[in-house]
Amino acid sequence: MPTWRKSRSVLPGFGLSMGYTLVYLSLLVLIPLAALFIKASGLGWAAFWQTVTDARVVAAYKLSFGASLAAALVNGVFGFLVAWVLVRYTFPGKKLVDAIVDLPFALPTAVAGIALTTLYAQNGWIGKLLVPLGIKSAYSPLGIIIALTFIGIPFVVRTVQPVLQELDRETEEAAVSLGAYRTRTFVKVLLPQVLPALITGMAMAFARAIGEYGSVVFISGNMPFKTEIAPLLIMTKLEQFDYAGATAIAAVMLIVSFVLLLVTNVLQARTQRKLLAG
Amino acid sequence: MSHIEVRGLTKSFGGHLAADGISFAIGKGSLVGLLGPSGGGKTTVLRMLAGLERPDSGDITFEGVRVNDIPPQKRGIGLVFQNYALFRHMNVFDNIAFGLTVQKRSKTYIRERVGELLELTGLAGLAERLPSQLSGGQRQRVAFARALAPQPQLLLLDEPFAAIDAKVRKELRLWLRDMIDRVGITTLFVTHDQEEAVEVADEIMIVNRGRLEQKGSPEHIYGTPQTPFVAGFIGESSRVEAVSELHGFEHCHEGAKAIVRPEFIEIGSPRELRLPSASGQGIVKAVFFRGTHWQVEVEVGTNRLFGYRDLEQPALHPGDATHVLVHRAYLVSGGQVSVVENRYKTDPMPVHI
Amino acid sequence: MAGAVPAVSAARGQCAAVHAADHLTEHAAVRWLLIGIALLFLGLFLILPLVTVFVEAFRKGAALYFAALREKEALAAIRLTLTTAAFAVPANLIFGLAAAWAVSKFRFRGKQVLLTLIDLPFAVSPVISGLVFVLLFGARGWFGPWLSEHDVKIIFALPGIVLATVFVTFPFVARELIPLMQAQGVQEEEAAATLGASGWRIFWKVTLPNIKWGLLYGVILCNARAMGEFGAVSVVSGHVRGKTNTIPLHVQILYNEYKFTAAFAVASLLVLLAAVTLGVKSFIEWKHHQSAHTGAEESGDPI
């Protein structure tokens, strides 16, 4: 809970707006989340541990984290490339491309899920091309990575893009006048300045991917031990009225997510400080 | 042979002529100031010398060799940017060492050279600091050291003092002057501040609207401006529409225009003037307190002139009738400037800078 | 002045992109290769899925497409989605305004903590966002027995769907407004206050005009997510056809029943929603850019 001491201000409405904020926040977010942890602690340590170390649950965690990491890495590479191309080059249709990067923020995940599944299924436009190569994309871990990559695209692009934009062209010129050619300038001067933003974007994409449900359930095939992600397992437990199991799995995921949120916040604050400083 | 030579340098940005047939030569080891108003094309000239901008036409030669097609990486130029453009993720040492690592120098050489420069620029002990942990003046020194590290043949400084507090600026100017003398490197710096140019440079080039107006020592430019722009740019000058109305200038033909510097004018009662016989009458229009002196606006005939007056002298008030002695005027005709002395004066007046 | 700086440097950046000298950019071939790879990536992951939705939706002709949209259950789903958004978006809008006012116009300890707490729902998996309300209000939840005694249905009914949606879209408006209002500071409001304006007047006449585009942006994003939310709503809805199915849930049911054409037809509505969202967003950015641009010109000499 925030403790505060309001400094004297001529503006009115602190009590009202702050009070409303805290009540609303508590009722809708803090109390429900607390309920989950209270419920989880009510399980007892042994039962909790048994649930979350169950082989099927562990397999789901591994898949969720592994696929999310893979998707974040893919987005790290291609998201950086897209941001670079959008900031540095001119080409026809650039504005449209820039606008469409946000599509995963605006498109409901269920729609993304069925569309990607149709594309990458064995008889889909892309799936068809992959079958002769012996690659099964939909209904496999690869399919999950594809869906999670879709979800994460804007995170990396939109954190890297402004940093690239604000980069001082003069530091590049300074490197050039000191004798550095393009590759060295990129690796030694540009990349280090963008790296914090890139990592922040990847961390955000990763955090989002861990919890993602809608786009994945369609494409994954949902096979226990093989393509069953953690959020889906929570859903399954709920449908079986196993509230305790669902709560335990959720508690672990929540803790991981909170740690990630904290890390990205710290990273972001640091990036901003660096941007502001000389 | 001159070290740097530029002939007919022209560059336009989408219709805007940033450099229009600029030619000049710089001798080895000299310190030249490129002076002019903002947007006049100074920085463009600097960037073309550095190879960061490609001239539309014209030649640039270093030691008689044409460098137009040599990329900036190979020109051997040290460049100090207005905002320093330090690599903010590198500490002071790595910033200064950057150019040396590009040259693939040995580790021991780099350590020695950087140490030398840290010593020279008074940054010893700050090698591990990041740029964000330095003051403005220190950052400028790092930028300076970084530019000097690879031993360039030409040092270019773009508004080197613009981003520094007024107080520190004076100090840094002297330091820079001293430093460049010690290193003995040919240097060109860009500034819009005439005081800075006069104080630091051996030679000044005045650039306006992409054209080189005049080149010469500060004294020379001050004493014999060649174009109306130069005559008006240095000092807070008055523009005189009918110079023949001024006492002592009746011999100028009617309607001739002139530029008169405040230092050329004395305002006061006949007793206060050095040569009362050479003075005419005027009316005080306005008096401004300027801290160390009064600035007085007087009307002489249809002309308005600005002059200074000592704080020790009795104060003047708007509406007072007074005497005005104009020692000298820059007569402007057809883009040319000639100096005309007050003809009632017998003894030549010394020039006050 | 401070406000004009980013605009100026942005304008400079654009100039540099157009006239970039050889030493500051890549070889033309490298440039086009990179552009090609980036476009291929976006094409595979973003464009093709969109195309797929419409191709599948119209696979059996326009007649079937419109029939799928006119179906009774589809209409019920649309109605439910609109109702949900009509509750959730204004609720979060009011919260966003209150939170942004408190955070940006006053100084108090624990502000950073509060900001992190407001962000929390972004870090929570949609499935868990639904789960917490099942734990509270479900048949076996804390308030379950009391609710059934008083014959109030929250889970598997509209209130649950609204609650889950509010949770998921909780930070959208606040997050958009807080940085905006923080950047604007308090000077204008304080000036209005010293001129004798009342609190509401300050808000309507001074604050709101300054933040209207950011506010619209937040609302648009909030709305898109509210109408499109799948995971959280899926947990609390109970999937009762024609009653507690929102559009995304209806799409899922149709898809799982192999009614692909109908599923994609309904899904195409959500694609249109996304298109409108992105369109409005681009419009707002364009507006913003314009005002920033004129600001830069007014502030003087760009050279």
Side-chain angles (χ1 to χ4, degrees), chain C residues 232-251:
Chain C
V233 173
S234 179
V235 174
V236 294
S237 101
H239 306 272
V240 185
R241 283 188 176 217
K243 287 222 168 104
T244 61
N245 268 346
T246 59
I247 302 176
L249 296 178
H250 189 59
V251 169

Side-chain angles (χ1 to χ4, degrees), chain C residues 1 5 47 51 64 76 87 96 100 107 172 188 221 239 245 286 300:
Chain C
M1 187 60 211
V5 170
I47 312 283
V51 175
L64 238 83
F87 281 110
R107 297 214 273 171
F172 277 98
E188 285 182 44
L221 284 181
H239 306 272
N245 268 346
W286 175 74

Side-chain angles (χ1 to χ4, degrees), chain B residues 246-250 266 273-281 323-327 341-347 349:
Chain B
L246 299 178
H247 194 68
F249 297 86
E250 291 85 354
E266 285 181 61
L273 303 180
R274 269 173 280 189
L275 270 170
S277 59
S279 69
Q281 293 194 328
H323 280 255
V324 180
L325 168 55
V326 179
H327 290 282
E341 299 284 337
N342 186 321
R343 70 170 178 176
Y344 300 126
K345 265 173 57 182
T346 43
D347 56 325
M349 291 301 299

Side-chain angles (χ1 to χ4, degrees), chain B residues 93 96 109-120 124:
Chain B
F93 185 97
I96 299 175
Y109 175 83
I110 292 177
R111 218 172 307 128
E112 247 171 61
R113 177 82 180 132
V114 175
E116 208 175 282
L117 284 161
L118 286 171
E119 206 64 51
L120 181 78

Side-chain angles (χ1 to χ4, degrees), chain A residues 16-145:
Chain A
L16 181 66
S17 61
M18 192 59 168
Y20 184 76
T21 300
L22 288 180
V23 169
Y24 190 80
L25 178 72
S26 306
L27 283 181
L28 279 154
V29 175
L30 301 183
I31 294 175
L33 284 177
L36 186 130
F37 283 107
I38 293 167
K39 176 92 181 169
S41 64
L43 292 177
W45 179 249
F48 177 82
W49 190 246
Q50 205 188 352
T51 311
V52 299
T53 53
D54 177 71
R56 186 173 165 188
V57 177
V58 171
Y61 281 144
K62 274 189 186 158
L63 179 65
S64 270
F65 290 121
S68 299
L69 187 65
L73 290 174
V74 171
N75 272 323
V77 173
F78 288 98
F80 181 87
L81 179 64
V82 170
W84 177 267
V85 163
L86 285 177
V87 171
R88 291 290 171 120
Y89 304 151
T90 44
F91 53 91
K94 181 167 140 171
K95 286 226 169 94
L96 194 69
V97 173
D98 193 20
I100 210 156
V101 165
D102 281 327
L103 182 71
F105 281 160
L107 189 71
T109 51
V111 180
I114 62 170
L116 287 170
T117 310
T118 308
L119 267 181
Y120 287 90
Q122 280 176 15
N123 57 354
W125 291 346
I126 300 176
K128 235 188 305 198
L129 303 175
L130 296 176
V131 169
L133 304 173
I135 301 170
K136 193 181 173 208
S137 45
Y139 315 121
S140 75
L142 180 62
I144 299 173
I145 295 173

Side-chain angles (χ1 to χ4, degrees), chain B residues 182-314:
Chain B
R182 257 198 274 173
V183 179
I185 183 174
T186 311
T187 304
L188 181 71
F189 75 98
V190 156
T191 180
H192 65 272
D193 181 343
Q194 39 166 312
E195 193 188 331
E196 187 173 300
V198 166
E199 197 172 311
V200 178
D202 301 327
E203 239 186 340
I204 294 178
M205 296 195 281
I206 297 190
V207 173
N208 181 42
R209 298 186 176 197
R211 295 187 145 273
L212 180 61
E213 299 271 341
Q214 192 173 352
K215 176 172 181 291
S217 69
E219 296 85 355
H220 179 73
I221 287 192
Y222 185 87
T224 48
Q226 284 164 2
T227 67
F229 176 80
V230 176
F233 185 69
I234 298 221
E236 306 162 66
S237 306
S238 316
R239 298 199 162 264
V240 176
E241 296 298 321
V243 70
S244 59
E245 289 175 12
L246 299 178
H247 194 68
F249 297 86
E250 291 85 354
H251 58 294
C252 299
H253 69 84
E254 217 171 304
K257 294 178 170 50
I259 291 165
V260 180
R261 294 223 173 107
E263 309 90 278
F264 298 168
I265 300 174
E266 285 181 61
I267 300 170
S269 66
R271 265 183 301 128
E272 291 165 346
L273 303 180
R274 269 173 280 189
L275 270 170
S277 59
S279 69
Q281 293 194 328
I283 292 169
V284 177
K285 281 299 179 187
V287 181
F288 309 96
F289 181 62
R290 289 281 184 247
T292 54
H293 57 264
W294 295 104
Q295 185 178 343
V296 183
E297 187 186 354
V298 286
E299 196 175 60
V300 180
T302 57
N303 298 307
R304 293 219 168 182
L305 299 173
F306 280 101
Y308 300 142
R309 192 173 154 83
D310 207 280
L311 291 180
E312 297 300 322
Q313 295 176 321

Side-chain angles (χ1 to χ4, degrees), chain A residues 196-197 200 263-277:
Chain A
T200 308
V263 169
T264 48
N265 272 7
V266 169
L267 275 176
Q268 256 183 325
R270 228 192 254 172
T271 317
Q272 270 175 348
R273 259 212 310 279
K274 276 215 169 171
L275 264 181
L276 290 177

